[in-house]
Amino acid sequence: MVDHMRKMKNNAIVCNIDHFDNEIDMLGLETYPGVKRITIKPQTDRWVFQETKSGIIVLAEGRLMNLGCATGHLSFIMSCSFTNHVIAQLELWNEKSSGKYEKKVYGLPKHLDEKVAALHLGKLGARLTKLSKDQSDYISIPIEGPYKPAHHRY
């Protein structure tokens, strides 16, 4: 809220890394009496409060920073993320009567995460080969995966 922003240290950086565009009170900031907006560069503005002469730096006009300030391969990253969502939904649907999943929060199982990665390798110019039995035995990993132990975090 704008009252919180007024109390921040001078030149504190405020940005939104959540899911929606309403986490930062931009309307309150924009309409605050005497506030001055100074554009430093596109998607980077310093908002100065008249009564304190101090200000905050707001990225991406308070919208999602990874969308407003990102460069690179955002569509590829979003494709991976959405594919993870779809694969997870399919898993839940296919297993709905098996009792495999209780009504609670789960991390995406490694074998599904690796399936999503494998589906995207072609866009990176990569090709996944299958482990031979000798390789599989040597590193103690099943030929079909998952290829990382359960405790490994990507």
Side-chain angles (χ1 to χ4, degrees):
M1 302 306 293
V2 72
D3 287 333
H4 299 116
M5 291 183 260
R6 284 182 37 246
K7 296 173 187 171
M8 291 179 175
K9 289 184 178 182
N10 187 41
N11 290 330
I13 298 173
V14 178
C15 62
N16 182 356
I17 59 170
D18 205 5
H19 293 104
F20 304 102
D21 284 344
N22 60 358
E23 286 85 6
I24 298 174
D25 181 18
M26 290 305 295
L27 180 60
L29 183 60
E30 292 164 358
T31 59
Y32 189 81
V35 73
K36 183 177 180 185
R37 178 182 183 173
I38 302 164
T39 300
I40 298 169
K41 64 179 189 174
Q43 303 297 328
T44 306
D45 297 296
R46 185 165 190 266
W47 293 82
V48 181
F49 296 99
Q50 181 181 14
E51 71 269 16
T52 62
K53 304 296 184 223
S54 68
I56 58 170
I57 297 170
V58 178
L59 302 180
E61 298 178 347
R63 294 187 310 273
L64 296 175
M65 186 181 75
N66 62 324
L67 298 176
C69 298
T71 59
H73 305 288
L74 182 63
S75 61
F76 180 79
I77 293 166
M78 297 304 285
S79 177
C80 292
S81 177
F82 292 145
T83 305
N84 272 338
H85 291 217
V86 170
I87 294 288
Q89 290 170 4
L90 288 169
E91 173 78 0
L92 291 173
W93 177 260
N94 291 332
E95 297 294 337
K96 70 178 184 240
S97 60
S98 73
K100 182 176 178 180
Y101 297 105
E102 297 174 32
K103 289 184 180 180
K104 62 181 192 177
V105 176
Y106 291 91
L108 189 67
K110 292 256 185 264
H111 74 280
L112 295 178
D113 200 40
E114 290 179 2
K115 179 178 183 177
V116 170
L119 289 169
H120 285 83
L121 287 175
K123 276 303 211 186
L124 298 172
R127 186 176 60 86
L128 185 64
T129 60
K130 297 285 183 190
L131 290 175
S132 70
K133 173 115 175 65
D134 287 343
Q135 290 170 320
S136 171
D137 292 343
Y138 180 74
I139 59 176
S140 301
I141 290 180
I143 290 173
E144 66 282 352
Y147 302 105
K148 296 287 184 184
H151 66 273
H152 180 79
R153 305 285 293 172
Y154 293 105

